[in-house]
Amino acid sequence: MNSNHRQSDAEQAVAGLLANAAALHQTGQIADAIRLYQEVMRRDSLNFDAIYLQGMAAHQLGQSQLAEKLMRLAITVRPDSAPALNELGHILKEKGELAQSLDRYVAVLRLCPDSVATQVNVAMVLSDMGHMHEAMQYCQVGLSLKPDFVPAHVLLGRMHHQRDDLHSALDSFSRAHCLAPDDIEVLNLLAVICIEMGRPDEARPYLSKMLVLCPDSALAISEMEVVNSLVRDDASAKEALYNAGLVDQAEKLAREELSRNNSVENHNFLLKCYLVSNRHSALDYFEESRAWSKEHAFEEQLPHPCDFNNDRNPDRRLRVGIVGDYFPSVIGAFTLLPFFKVYARDQLELYCYNFGEGEEEIRPLVDQYRDIRGYSGENLFGLIRTDVIDIMLDINGRIRTPNFFETMLRQPAPIQVNWYNLPCTVGVRAYNYVITDGYCVRDGEENVYVERIFRMPTGTICAWDMGAPPVVPRPPFVRNGYITYGCFGDFFKVNEEVLATWAELLGRVSDSRLYLKSNNLRLASERERVTAFFRQRGVDSGRLILEGMSSFNQMKKCYEWVDIALDTFPYSSGSTTINALWQGVPVIAIEGPDWRGRSTAAVLAGCGLDHLIVKDVAAYIVAASELAADASQLQDLRAGLGCRMVESPQWQIGQFARNFESLMRQIWHDWLHQAQ
């Protein structure tokens, strides 16, 4: 037999071994397949197929080190092998060597530019590396090549979700669901988005289908429990009406309950109705709070100034207490905590009485930290007296619950100040002072306060520190072709007059939309009620976007879908306005006849946006309509609002702290004078 025949026989033997190995491999007999691959390599050390397939088998068995070695050898033998480069990319990605993995996937794309799967692989690695924008571009290219490629839709949706863009994520996952209706991963992702978007009832069909396909799915069972808790409304009848903005009806029930039980809790609820009702004024609120206080606050038993043993030195370091439960909340984290970082410790010794979370964040920032969770009112009273506090700041006040209002009624500190939450009167003489600003509470309005008023000179009762202005995209009308109005505030401020005004505005601005986001709208029944209200006024449901609340970062991203924000009336917004402006969304507001309707106007005036402040409902509709027609102004505002805010009084934390310290000293001097 000549050498050619011998070579042919050897090649045939190798080919037979390779075929047998591949057959074993395909039937799951991987260990046996590997032994045959190794035998082939003993006979032909550079046999690409044996090297490559053995590497694949090793990877399947979790032998990543061996798999990588074999794939590198395969590429040495055949540098232009897209499968080997692709597999090595997978192995390196699993090891966390993202840059090397990306190099291999890009090499595959050079060989196979129309490979949709590889476009997605590149996108996946770029996403893991944090290059989200570039990753999305690769996904879009993949979908342009193959619009029905489900993994591309899923990855694109995941990236939108990672960026807190719930609407875009929902769109991508919905497309994937249409293509793969029984895909468990897609069903779960859709359910998660519905929950996070604030429409939890819409997650139920997806979770139910997951449970049909996989009855023991712990994930689906857990998420269904979350949905059931979110769609359940545990509010009392009066609270449900109040939360829906049906304040007159809530007030009627509150009066009935108050007639049966004239408690602090029941009376506080009535006062909450007064605050947001368009039938009551600040004077009504004052008179109602005073009538209750005269009967139930035992003001005649308040301590006399001489009953306190505080050192009367006018210029000494002051002991200032602050009591509340929401210091590390979204609002507190951007206002209170920044203030704690910069106050002058040689002027103030700050005691924080916290009955909420956040000890780790707060304790290092204040002189004395007191965890009063679980304290009785009597225990807190004794602690404040023992600490010999000079000035006690109550940030929860009377209306926000929970609180220690009944403890404060006994006046544990010689000076008690209502500050931060609501610039209205507490209505009881146990509070000596209120800190507000000259915009919200004007000269001559002292008659609706029992406290002595001290005004911050900067026109703001607190200052914000949210870092550098965010980079925001162009207003959504540019891509949509229509204007979207929005309000993300609490729905108890959205009375029927406000809804009717918005309906009239939508009627005036053709094809416009209204985006409402509020905790109450997580309930399908509330969304249906609001939809019916607009439908009766000629506004189709397709022009409404109604959602419950989302996380803070997701909410900020939702502003990318809003062109113009609309303030509520007669009760104006505070932090809601700040967040809208910070995201580049201008706000139209009515300046009200009392402090309740001036919060947004104060912020707008501080930013030099007086032209967005109007005097009545008719002007409100005109201003919102005219701004919608001014594309140039909308784009300029979108780009520049963040910088306007940074330069406004609301953002000067250092200056605010100096003014606040000065105000504490003025209050101390005033009390010393009054106490003589």
Side-chain angles (χ1 to χ4, degrees), residues 261-483:
N261 179 14
N262 199 350
S263 65
V264 170
E265 181 182 358
N266 283 341
H267 190 254
N268 280 352
F269 188 87
L270 178 64
L271 290 178
K272 284 170 64 175
C273 293
Y274 269 55
L275 283 176
V276 298
S277 172
N278 52 14
R279 296 189 306 107
H280 294 298
S281 66
L283 180 60
D284 294 334
Y285 175 89
F286 169 79
E287 291 176 343
E288 176 60 39
S289 63
R290 285 304 296 149
W292 182 90
S293 299
K294 289 174 182 177
E295 186 176 353
H296 299 283
F298 307 107
E299 292 180 334
E300 69 281 357
Q301 298 178 20
L302 289 174
H304 189 273
C306 65
D307 294 336
F308 295 95
N309 297 320
N310 301 62
D311 180 353
R312 304 302 175 95
N313 182 340
D315 301 317
R316 66 174 175 81
R317 187 188 187 200
L318 297 173
R319 288 190 176 186
V320 176
I322 178 168
V323 61
D325 71 336
Y326 60 107
F327 296 99
S329 68
V330 168
I331 300 174
F334 293 127
T335 56
L336 294 169
L337 300 190
F339 166 62
F340 291 169
K341 292 176 183 178
V342 298
Y343 75 91
R345 292 181 180 241
D346 61 333
Q347 296 295 314
L348 307 180
E349 183 180 3
L350 193 58
Y351 287 66
C352 179
Y353 298 87
N354 183 26
F355 55 99
E357 302 298 323
E359 178 174 352
E360 290 185 1
E361 299 100 308
I362 303 166
R363 185 181 285 277
L365 303 179
V366 296
D367 295 285
Q368 303 293 336
Y369 181 84
R370 304 286 189 254
D371 184 350
I372 60 171
R373 288 176 294 182
Y375 268 50
S376 67
E378 185 64 34
N379 288 341
L380 177 59
F381 183 91
L383 180 60
I384 295 170
R385 283 290 176 92
T386 299
D387 286 337
V388 197
I389 295 299
D390 300 309
I391 302 175
M392 193 70 194
L393 302 167
D394 184 358
I395 64 168
N396 280 49
R398 179 173 185 174
I399 304 299
R400 188 183 187 280
T401 54
N403 59 37
F404 277 91
F405 180 61
E406 292 181 79
T407 301
M408 303 298 283
L409 283 178
R410 296 172 56 200
Q411 199 165 359
I415 300 173
Q416 296 192 161
V417 181
N418 176 32
W419 172 58
Y420 188 78
N421 187 34
L422 290 173
C424 63
T425 185
V426 179
V428 296
R429 298 197 183 280
Y431 287 76
N432 322 66
Y433 300 91
V434 60
I435 294 176
T436 179
D437 67 83
Y439 196 102
C440 289
V441 182
R442 315 279 170 80
D443 289 340
E445 296 179 345
E446 292 80 5
N447 63 313
V448 294
Y449 285 85
V450 68
E451 308 90 340
R452 185 169 170 79
I453 299 172
F454 274 76
R455 296 176 176 87
M456 290 295 295
T458 53
T460 177
I461 62 171
C462 65
W464 292 69
D465 183 0
M466 298 176 76
V471 177
V472 296
R474 293 187 299 173
F477 80 85
V478 175
R479 65 174 184 270
N480 293 334
Y482 55 79
I483 289 291

Side-chain angles (χ1 to χ4, degrees), residues 78-104:
R78 192 176 295 173
D80 60 349
S81 170
L85 287 164
N86 193 62
E87 186 67 14
L88 183 56
H90 294 339
I91 295 167
L92 293 169
K93 181 177 183 298
E94 290 173 8
K95 289 179 63 181
E97 296 178 8
L98 299 181
Q100 291 191 46
S101 173
L102 180 63
D103 288 343
R104 272 56 181 193

Side-chain angles (χ1 to χ4, degrees), residues 499-511:
L499 287 177
T501 300
W502 291 346
E504 184 178 346
L505 174 61
L506 292 180
R508 182 172 298 194
V509 181
S510 61
D511 205 30

Side-chain angles (χ1 to χ4, degrees), residues 434-654:
V434 60
I435 294 176
T436 179
D437 67 83
Y439 196 102
C440 289
V441 182
R442 315 279 170 80
D443 289 340
E445 296 179 345
E446 292 80 5
N447 63 313
V448 294
Y449 285 85
V450 68
E451 308 90 340
R452 185 169 170 79
I453 299 172
F454 274 76
R455 296 176 176 87
M456 290 295 295
T458 53
T460 177
I461 62 171
C462 65
W464 292 69
D465 183 0
M466 298 176 76
V471 177
V472 296
R474 293 187 299 173
F477 80 85
V478 175
R479 65 174 184 270
N480 293 334
Y482 55 79
I483 289 291
T484 301
Y485 295 103
C487 179
F488 292 178
D490 292 317
F491 224 71
F492 63 78
K493 301 177 183 179
V494 184
N495 57 57
E496 292 195 337
E497 182 184 2
V498 171
L499 287 177
T501 300
W502 291 346
E504 184 178 346
L505 174 61
L506 292 180
R508 182 172 298 194
V509 181
S510 61
D511 205 30
S512 58
R513 307 290 197 273
L514 178 62
Y515 186 0
L516 303 180
K517 196 168 183 65
S518 178
N519 185 50
N520 210 51
L521 294 175
R522 79 188 190 283
L523 305 172
S525 59
E526 277 300 287
R527 299 200 300 274
E528 291 164 4
R529 178 184 69 85
V530 173
T531 299
F533 184 96
F534 279 92
R535 187 184 301 116
Q536 290 167 6
R537 287 156 181 79
V539 179
D540 183 78
S541 62
R543 298 176 66 187
L544 301 176
I545 306 168
L546 306 179
E547 297 172 357
M549 291 308 294
S550 301
S551 73
F552 180 65
N553 285 334
Q554 289 168 343
M555 178 274 295
K556 289 193 297 181
K557 196 72 175 176
C558 287
Y559 275 117
E560 292 187 4
W561 299 82
V562 179
D563 292 292
I564 302 170
L566 302 171
D567 193 24
T568 50
F569 54 88
Y571 196 29
S572 183
S573 295
S575 60
T576 302
T577 295
I578 292 285
N579 288 324
L581 294 172
W582 190 240
Q583 296 306 124
V585 181
V587 183
I588 302 294
I590 297 174
E591 181 180 284
D594 54 50
W595 72 267
R596 296 180 305 166
R598 297 174 183 160
S599 298
T600 291
V603 176
L604 292 173
C607 295
L609 297 169
D610 301 77
H611 67 289
L612 301 180
I613 306 168
V614 297
K615 294 299 183 183
D616 55 35
V617 170
Y620 179 92
I621 294 172
V622 170
S625 303
E626 291 180 348
L627 183 56
D630 192 339
S632 177
Q633 183 181 182
L634 278 175
Q635 296 195 62
D636 289 345
L637 287 170
R638 192 77 167 203
L641 278 178
C643 293
R644 279 178 178 264
M645 295 193 75
V646 168
E647 296 170 359
S648 75
Q650 282 85 4
W651 245 248
Q652 310 309 315
I653 286 285

